[in-house]
Amino acid sequence: MNADECTRGCCGVSRRRNVSDCFDRGLRRNRTEPFAIAGKKITDANGLEAQFSLKIEHGLIEAVRFRVTSCVALTAYAEVLAEEAERLSLSSAIAIAPQTLIDDLEGVPLFRRDRANLAVAALRSAISIATLQQGVTNESRLHLRHATA
């Protein structure tokens, strides 16, 4: 299998990280229904919007989906971010910086690189909500165990 055939990066072949390929993959992901854990819709100064949703399993991000405004650079950055965040803990994923996306994605014009900030802010919003929901879930389990003791 070569990099053109691989869509998950799980086969050991490095994913292609150029705007065109990431935009194509991101366009498909952008059309999927969001997961139950969804962050706030974030809007930047240009009116572009991004919102991420997460599927959490065993404390790790199992899958990521997003909805973004139709912008090639934003869609490509959101796809790179989604690929990077999958299989990470919430604390590891929230540490992904916009500069990481900029460094990882070839071909984005300088005047469009601010889209990385929007993508990261939207993912962090979803992670914050997931963290709150996990805290409530863990706290309720704690109360249930202690209530019977």
Side-chain angles (χ1 to χ4, degrees):
M1 182 177 286
N2 64 40
D4 291 328
E5 296 169 338
C6 183
T7 58
R8 297 275 310 153
C10 56
C11 61
V13 176
S14 301
R15 293 189 138 195
R16 296 173 73 179
R17 292 290 174 99
N18 62 51
V19 174
S20 177
D21 290 329
C22 290
F23 174 73
D24 287 343
R25 288 194 302 270
L27 206 55
R28 286 189 296 275
R29 191 186 302 248
N30 192 37
R31 293 178 180 147
T32 58
E33 288 297 315
F35 291 116
I37 300 172
K40 294 179 183 176
K41 186 183 294 184
I42 308 294
T43 306
D44 74 358
N46 298 314
L48 298 174
E49 297 177 339
Q51 182 179 30
F52 278 76
S53 63
L54 308 172
K55 180 179 178 185
I56 308 295
E57 291 287 331
H58 308 293
L60 299 176
I61 298 173
E62 171 82 15
V64 179
R65 293 183 179 164
F66 58 79
R67 293 284 169 99
V68 296
T69 306
S70 186
C71 167
V72 172
L74 177 58
T75 304
Y77 277 136
E79 178 61 23
V80 170
L81 186 56
E83 291 171 0
E84 289 294 320
E86 286 179 344
R87 314 244 189 288
L88 292 179
S89 67
L90 295 174
S91 59
S92 294
I94 206 165
I96 299 172
Q99 189 61 48
T100 303
L101 302 181
I102 292 167
D103 293 343
D104 285 351
L105 187 60
E106 301 170 7
V108 178
L110 284 173
F111 64 94
R112 298 267 191 247
R113 292 184 181 171
D114 62 332
R115 277 42 172 192
N117 296 320
L118 176 58
V120 169
L123 178 66
R124 288 178 178 170
S125 173
I127 290 171
S128 295
I129 288 172
T131 301
L132 287 173
Q133 286 184 1
Q134 272 196 331
V136 168
T137 302
N138 290 340
E139 189 174 310
S140 347
R141 287 181 188 153
L142 180 66
H143 289 300
L144 287 173
R145 277 189 285 192
H146 290 303
T148 58

